[in-house]
């Protein structure tokens, strides 16, 4: 029966059968040392000359060969133990090796540094690297934490469609798909469907892919990414939504500390300490602050520029010792039709962005829940309510005050781990230049 490497600590002196990949092989005279890895970890093995067949087999092994190994679990002498390796206190004395699959010629050493395009061109191989495995373990814990937290808080997970009709948000930035003689669109978010489902379950969340046909070529943009969306009913205002996201991030911090401390250490990053109450300021307050501190007048801008997001994050770290800051009350003109307006000053919305380590990772808001107000907002934005008739049924049937937010999984992973490019935090990136491999031609009209 197979034993996982992560379970060998309780089997000293026993013979075990391991299966995995050859991570590396080192020859020291007649001794052959092999590092074997499986899903649970890595362990050093040694082939001794007295096990003649196993020793002969070990001389042929190469990195990434898939093998089955039988051997005895030995405790290594204290002076040879590497405290930084989870299984460094043990060594497998090999008695038998069976090769399950040979690797053909490898393009380069997994431990070598390669540029981002080479890394992406060889993803089926490079994803096996220690760094990549660490990145995507962290990402897995993030999605697991979403489900843990929101299920505990009484939310119901839903699956929103990825093919939608004429009510695509921001149609100019949607991908068109031929659909039995009609034009459909790839969903830019589950927004309209999660609002509909508030009328069913009150509290819902979704984790799934979304698509943006934006011609960006930057280190922070993707054309397909994973959106973690929540929507909740019976709120007092958008403060309830921010408080919910704050509580989720506290839960995420705890989960990462329990499960991913070694991965953060390997990647040279720190798990952020989430404040009990994340600091916040309105867009107008932020712009006045930036203008006063930098001398660059941004008070007339409808949104934050990337350099302003970075400045505010630095300010939050210096002033509040927080990697996070909420910016609220964006202009109505810059927010979607369903965003609730400030009752005292309808020029502004009850919406927010969450900034983290230099970038916006969340957009959220209270939503318009009154049918007539929603129709009026659509018309003001130049939208035809008839195209949204399916969605509007929920509001004709009565909807509670509600709101929610969306959080990009890949961007959050990137900033958590201090990665230089969001593509490093994306299993198989899709952007303007790439679907798996580089596309043969691209539009020259790229936003940098």
């Amino acid at each position: 029966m197979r034993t996982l490497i992560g379970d060998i600590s309780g089997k000293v002196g026993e013979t075990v059968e391991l299966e995995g990949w050859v991570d590396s092989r080192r020859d020291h005279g007649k001794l052959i040392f092999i590092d074997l890895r499986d899903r649970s970890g890595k362990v050093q093995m040694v082939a001794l000359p007295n096990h003649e067949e196993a020793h002969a087999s070990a001389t042929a092994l190469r990195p990434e060969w898939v093998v089955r190994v039988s051997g005895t679990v030995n405790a290594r002498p204290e002076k040879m133990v590497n405290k930084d390796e989870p299984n460094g206190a043990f060594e497998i004395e090999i008695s038998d090796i069976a090769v399950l699959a040979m690797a053909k010629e490898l393009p380069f050493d997994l431990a070598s540094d390669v540029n981002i395009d080479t890394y992406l061109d060889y993803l089926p191989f490079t994803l096996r690297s220690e760094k990549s495995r660490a990145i995507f373990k962290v990402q897995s814990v993030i999605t697991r934490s979403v489900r843990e937290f929101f299920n505990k808080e009484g939310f119901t997970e839903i699956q929103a469609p990825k093919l939608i009709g004429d009510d695509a948000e921001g149609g100019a930035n949607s991908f068109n798909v031929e659909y039995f003689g009609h034009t459909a669109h790839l969903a830019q978010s589950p927004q309209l469907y999660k609002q509909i489902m508030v009328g069913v379950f009150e509290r819902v969340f979704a984790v799934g892919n979304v698509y943006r046909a934006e011609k960006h070529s930057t280190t922070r943009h993707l054309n397909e990414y994973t959106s973690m969306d929540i929507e909740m009913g019976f709120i007092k205002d958008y403060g309830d939504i921010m408080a919910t996201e704050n509580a989720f991030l506290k839960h995420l911090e705890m989960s990462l500390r329990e499960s991913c401390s070694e991965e953060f250490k390997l990647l040279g990053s720190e798990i952020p300490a989430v404040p009990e109450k994340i600091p916040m300021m309105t867009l107008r307050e932020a712009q006045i602050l930036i203008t006063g501190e930098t001398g660059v007048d941004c008070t007339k801008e409808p949104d934050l520029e990337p350099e302003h997001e970075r400045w505010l994050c630095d300010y939050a770290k210096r002033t509040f010792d927080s990697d996070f800051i909420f910016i609220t009350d964006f202009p109505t003109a810059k927010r979607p039709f369903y965003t609730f307006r400030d009752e005292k000053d309808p020029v502004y919305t009850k919406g927010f962005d969450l900034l983290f380590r230099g970038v916006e990772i969340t957009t959220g808001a209270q939503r318009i829940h009154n049918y007539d107000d929603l129709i009026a907002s659509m018309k003001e934005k130049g939208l035809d309510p008839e195209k949204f008739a399916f969605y509007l049924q929920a509001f004709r049937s009565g909807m509670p005050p509600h709101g929610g937010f969306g959080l990009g999984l890949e961007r959050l992973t990137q900033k958590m781990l201090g990665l230089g490019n969001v593509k490093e935090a994306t299993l198989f990136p899709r952007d303007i230049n790439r679907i798996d491999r580089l596309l043969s031609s691209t539009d020259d009209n790229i936003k940098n």
Side-chain angles (χ1 to χ4, degrees), residues 252-261 264 270-274:
L252 176 58
E253 176 195 349
M254 180 182 67
S255 297
L256 292 172
R257 292 192 188 282
E258 289 177 353
S259 303
C260 297
S261 293
F264 273 81
E270 293 185 6
I271 299 171
V274 180

Side-chain angles (χ1 to χ4, degrees), residues 233-411:
F234 296 100
I235 63 172
K236 292 181 180 178
D237 63 16
Y238 62 157
D240 290 347
I241 307 161
M242 288 185 280
T244 297
E245 182 168 21
N246 201 150
F248 160 67
L249 291 169
K250 288 290 291 181
H251 173 80
L252 176 58
E253 176 195 349
M254 180 182 67
S255 297
L256 292 172
R257 292 192 188 282
E258 289 177 353
S259 303
C260 297
S261 293
E262 290 300 319
E263 285 72 22
F264 273 81
K265 183 178 179 180
L266 172 69
L267 295 164
S269 188
E270 293 185 6
I271 299 171
V274 180
E276 291 298 327
K277 186 173 183 181
I278 293 173
M280 67 179 68
M281 63 178 66
T282 67
L283 175 65
R284 286 161 287 177
E285 291 169 340
Q287 290 173 327
I288 290 170
L289 179 64
I290 293 167
T291 300
E293 294 287 331
T294 68
V296 178
D297 187 1
C298 62
T299 55
K300 295 181 177 60
E301 298 297 323
D303 205 343
L304 294 170
E305 295 294 331
E307 60 266 29
H308 298 153
E309 294 178 348
R310 290 190 291 270
W311 190 93
L312 286 167
C313 287
D314 289 341
Y315 173 82
K317 189 66 175 176
R318 294 193 313 269
T319 308
F320 307 111
D321 193 26
S322 172
D323 288 302
F324 302 87
I325 184 169
F326 281 117
I327 305 299
T328 70
D329 298 41
F330 287 81
T332 299
K334 295 296 293 183
R335 293 282 147 150
F337 70 86
Y338 45 76
T339 309
F340 199 94
R341 303 181 183 197
D342 190 306
E343 298 93 337
K344 296 179 181 177
D345 191 352
V347 172
Y348 296 95
T349 62
K350 289 191 170 182
F352 62 88
D353 283 354
L354 178 62
L355 309 184
F356 171 56
R357 291 181 176 171
V359 299
E360 169 258 305
I361 59 167
T362 288
T363 295
Q366 182 176 349
R367 320 298 187 191
I368 298 173
H369 64 279
N370 179 276
Y371 175 81
D372 293 330
D373 292 343
L374 195 55
I375 294 292
S377 180
M378 285 180 174
K379 291 179 177 178
E380 186 178 315
K381 294 280 188 180
L383 300 171
D384 180 2
E386 285 298 318
K387 291 186 176 181
F388 294 82
F390 184 81
Y391 161 74
L392 288 169
Q393 289 180 69
F395 298 85
R396 291 180 66 92
S397 304
M399 285 286 283
H402 66 282
F405 63 84
L407 184 62
L409 174 63
E410 291 83 1
R411 187 178 289 186

